[in-house]
């Protein structure tokens, strides 16, 4: 067989450690040092428009082919302008579009390839943004958007959005109003996993833009096979404090932060690590993002009238010991959660706020009785996710990190543990500066300080520090 990187692209071959090659009959193969990956085969077939077969081979041979291919690309630098990475990515895109244009369903093939790239690269969202000449496809990877594909032609861009609407069972004839939906895909063959996708369609000046949220339960485990606070990157002392709260018989543990900061995953980890089987744990979520063994999980269904508040009321009649509410969005849900914590249940939930102290302000604005809130509240964890410096290139940029110098994220956080004095200060509506001072006297490390310590430790950068946190 003869390696043929033009069939797929050297950058993608390196990232997935799979070498495209042709045999004497012109058939296309993927050569890799592992068992067949049906999802990868589907993606390459979608991009090339041809049937692809898998061949397992020696790891040293794969390394040699990838090395020789990289050397050949570098040899072209003196002949053609631009970097080798830019040229081969551009060539791969042009080849992909040209080949799919010759197939009967280019929109389906292109969308399949985009979904595959999103899953393989651990993207949280797929953005399809229209302009007068077509559309740009961008992936949010580690919290940052990166361009991955250019769709030439408004007709093809419209077909891709229409395909998404069909998958989510939305109205393909309605193009003037926003629409929301969801769909599922089962990946692989014998032991495939199911991935959920949430779709948001928004009319724009040049058509309909789409954002697809990727909810890949398997990716949450971070490849370790276990969902733990340690796998998420929490420091040992912070892990111990969080788990101590999660083992209490009653009260409330809240996690706060912006969208995409890992709040729900942190609660999943805390519940998983403290689950003993001797208590009943029930969750209500929108949607259920990860299946927790031994836990009853209920998805919100607004169309059928099952809101967080209504679901939480029903849960409390189901004899739970521990309850997780996916998000406290309104005063009604907050009031029920507080009462549950006061009547002998341990309540886990998330709140959208910028810091642990801002959560108190959120409850005040909801009109809740502060005395009851602080009596129920045990701790508030405010967290952010910082991108890690890529271990393969140490920040220099390589195919594995898409040239960004970052690969993967870890959590940093501040944990506000309430005691009697802090509860008295909050209930008395003391100035926030006084509450913060008292918390720091008790050992609270501010979020910004935790992020600065991460920079000093060398696993993230000052640029990432300023992108994610603010100096307060």
């Amino acid at each position: 067989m003869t390696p043929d990187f033009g069939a797929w692209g050297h950058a993608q071959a390196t990232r997935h450690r799979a070498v495209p090659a042709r045999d004497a009959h012109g058939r296309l193969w993927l050569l890799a040092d592992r068992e067949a990956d049906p999802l990868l085969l589907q993606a390459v077939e979608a991009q090339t428009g041809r049937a692809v077969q898998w061949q397992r081979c020696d790891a040293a041979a794969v390394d040699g082919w990838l090395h020789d291919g990289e050397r050949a690309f570098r040899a072209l630098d003196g002949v053609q302008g631009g970097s080798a990475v830019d040229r081969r990515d551009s060539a791969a895109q042009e080849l992909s579009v040209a080949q799919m244009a010759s197939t009967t369903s280019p929109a389906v093939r292109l969308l399949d390839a985009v979904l595959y790239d999103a899953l393989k690269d651990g993207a949280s969202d797929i953005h399809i943004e229209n302009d007068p000449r077509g559309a740009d496809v961008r992936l949010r990877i580690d919290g940052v958007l990166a361009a991955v594909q250019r769709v030439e032609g408004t007709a093809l861009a419209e077909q891709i959005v229409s395909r998404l609407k069909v998958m989510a069972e939305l109205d393909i004839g309605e193009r003037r109003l926003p629409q929301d939906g969801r769909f599922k895909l089962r990946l692989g063959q014998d032991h495939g996993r199911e991935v959920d996708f949430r779709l948001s369609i928004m009319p724009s000046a040049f058509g309909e833009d789409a954002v697809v949220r990727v909810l890949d339960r398997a990716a949450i485990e971070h490849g370790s096979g276990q969902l733990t606070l340690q796998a998420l990157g929490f420091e040992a002392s912070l892990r111990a404090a969080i788990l101590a709260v999660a083992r209490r018989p009653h009260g409330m543990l809240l996690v706060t932060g912006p969208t995409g900061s890992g709040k729900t995953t942190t609660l999943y980890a805390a519940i998983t690590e403290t689950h003993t089987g001797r208590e009943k744990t029930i969750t209500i979520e929108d949607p259920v993002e990860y299946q927790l063994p031994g836990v009853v999980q209920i998805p919100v269904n607004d169309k059928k009238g099952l809101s967080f508040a209504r679901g939480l009321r029903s849960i409390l009649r189901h004899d739970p010991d521990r309850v997780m509410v996916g998000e406290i969005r309104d005063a009604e849900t907050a009031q029920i959660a507080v009462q549950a914590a006061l009547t002998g249940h341990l309540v886990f939930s998330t709140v959208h706020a910028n810091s642990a102290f801002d959560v108190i302000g959120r409850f005040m604005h909801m009109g809740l009785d502060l005395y009851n809130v602080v009596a129920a509240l045990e701790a508030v964890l405010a967290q952010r996710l910082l991108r890690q410096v890529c271990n393969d290139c140490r920040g220099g940029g390589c195919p594995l990190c898409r040239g960004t110098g970052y690969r993967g994220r870890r959590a940093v956080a501040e944990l506000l543990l309430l005691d009697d004095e802090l509860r008295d200060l909050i209930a008395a509506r003391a100035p926030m500066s006084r509450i913060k001072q008292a918390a720091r006297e008790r050992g609270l490390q501010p979020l910004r300080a935790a992020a600065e310590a991460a920079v000093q430790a060398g696993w993230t950068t000052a640029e990432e520090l300023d992108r994610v946190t603010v100096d307060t």
Side-chain angles (χ1 to χ4, degrees):
M1 293 190 190
T2 303
D4 181 4
F5 293 103
W8 191 33
H10 188 270
Q12 296 192 70
T14 301
R15 186 161 64 249
H16 301 302
R17 283 191 57 77
V19 178
R22 296 185 187 277
D23 61 19
H25 302 286
R27 291 173 296 198
L28 188 60
W29 296 74
L30 274 185
L31 312 179
D33 58 349
R34 61 188 184 277
E35 295 296 330
D37 183 342
L39 183 59
L40 182 56
L41 284 171
Q42 292 171 19
V44 179
E45 288 178 345
Q47 288 192 348
T48 62
R50 300 189 55 181
V52 183
Q53 299 181 67
W54 189 278
Q55 177 64 53
R56 185 170 184 175
C57 57
D58 185 70
V62 174
D63 291 335
W65 285 321
L66 292 175
H67 174 74
D68 291 343
E70 178 65 25
R71 184 169 55 190
F73 277 116
R74 288 177 178 173
L76 295 175
D77 284 346
V79 180
Q80 299 175 345
S83 71
V85 173
D86 291 339
R87 284 197 307 281
R88 61 179 179 263
D89 283 350
S90 176
Q93 290 183 7
E94 292 173 3
L95 178 67
S96 177
V97 172
Q99 289 173 324
M100 284 188 291
S102 66
T103 66
T104 57
S105 185
V108 172
R109 292 184 178 275
L110 180 55
L111 183 57
D112 286 347
V114 169
L115 291 173
Y116 172 79
D117 278 345
L119 289 167
K120 277 296 184 182
D121 290 330
S124 61
D125 301 89
I126 304 166
H127 291 243
I128 301 174
E129 302 165 340
N130 284 276
D131 59 39
R133 295 174 299 280
D136 287 319
V137 179
R138 301 198 289 169
L139 301 182
R140 188 176 294 281
I141 301 171
D142 293 335
V144 177
L145 285 172
V148 295
Q149 185 68 272
R150 173 66 192 170
V151 180
E152 294 294 348
T154 57
L156 181 57
E158 290 175 2
Q159 291 168 14
I160 291 171
V161 174
S162 293
R163 170 65 177 168
L164 283 169
K165 292 166 76 172
V166 168
M167 295 170 71
E169 299 182 350
L170 300 181
D171 184 356
I172 62 173
E174 178 56 72
R175 302 186 60 191
R176 297 168 297 178
L177 297 174
Q179 296 189 66
D180 296 297
R182 60 185 60 187
F183 59 94
K184 296 181 179 181
L185 293 178
R186 183 168 293 279
L187 309 175
Q189 297 175 348
D190 297 332
H191 302 287
R193 70 180 190 270
E194 193 172 66
V195 179
D196 292 325
F197 300 87
R198 281 191 290 180
L199 174 64
S200 173
I201 301 292
M202 183 69 66
S204 71
F206 303 108
E208 290 181 293
D209 288 2
V211 174
V212 183
R213 169 62 58 87
V214 182
L215 300 172
D216 187 1
R217 298 182 181 96
I220 294 179
E221 293 188 355
H222 294 260
S224 66
Q226 294 181 338
L227 183 61
T228 64
L229 295 175
Q230 183 175 3
L232 300 180
F234 287 99
E235 299 295 333
S237 59
L238 193 55
R239 294 199 306 269
I242 295 170
L243 293 177
V245 175
R247 291 189 177 99
R248 294 181 183 179
H250 54 75
M252 182 183 292
L253 170 61
L254 299 178
V255 181
T256 186
T259 300
S261 60
K263 300 184 296 295
T264 302
T265 306
T266 295
L267 288 181
Y268 281 156
I271 291 172
T272 299
E273 288 197 69
T274 57
H275 183 69
T276 64
R278 295 191 298 270
E279 67 284 313
K280 182 156 189 171
T281 303
I282 307 178
T283 76
I284 180 164
E285 309 169 53
D286 183 22
V288 174
E289 296 184 17
Y290 178 81
Q291 294 172 348
L292 301 174
V295 175
V296 178
Q297 295 175 270
I298 303 168
V300 164
N301 190 335
D302 289 322
K303 292 182 179 179
K304 299 294 184 180
L306 181 58
S307 62
F308 277 120
R310 183 174 180 180
L312 183 54
R313 284 198 191 92
S314 299
I315 286 173
L316 295 178
R317 294 192 291 268
H318 213 65
D319 191 30
D321 298 291
R322 309 195 304 175
V323 175
M324 174 182 149
V325 185
E327 182 183 347
I328 293 179
R329 298 175 179 173
D330 52 57
E332 184 181 13
T333 305
Q335 183 65 50
I336 301 169
V338 167
Q339 289 301 318
L342 292 173
T343 54
H345 304 86
L346 182 61
V347 179
F348 302 84
S349 192
T350 71
V351 180
H352 279 289
N354 291 322
S355 72
F357 301 99
D358 289 343
V359 171
I360 307 300
R362 285 293 306 275
F363 282 135
M364 290 173 61
H365 288 128
M366 288 179 183
L368 302 183
D369 184 336
L370 270 186
Y371 179 83
N372 285 338
V373 170
V374 297
L377 193 57
E378 296 291 338
V380 182
L381 181 75
Q383 73 176 56
R384 300 289 189 276
L385 296 177
L386 297 179
R387 289 185 294 172
Q388 299 182 89
V389 173
C390 177
N391 288 327
D392 290 274
C393 62
R394 294 312 298 168
C398 67
L400 291 174
C401 64
R402 288 182 171 269
T404 64
Y406 298 98
R407 192 177 180 202
R409 291 188 291 177
R410 285 176 59 182
V412 293
E414 64 181 16
L415 180 64
L416 175 63
L417 294 168
L418 275 73
D419 61 11
D420 289 343
E421 182 176 345
L422 281 173
R423 289 188 173 95
D424 289 343
L425 289 171
I426 295 170
R429 299 178 184 266
M432 191 55 66
S433 59
R434 176 69 187 93
I435 297 174
K436 289 182 178 180
Q437 179 184 349
R440 288 169 182 169
E441 289 172 355
R442 285 156 177 76
L444 178 139
Q445 182 186 40
L447 187 61
R448 176 79 175 190
E452 289 172 346
V455 175
Q456 292 295 321
W459 62 261
T460 191
T461 64
E463 175 191 18
E464 189 69 359
L465 166 74
D466 291 331
R467 186 184 71 85
V468 175
T469 66
V470 295
D471 193 1
T472 56

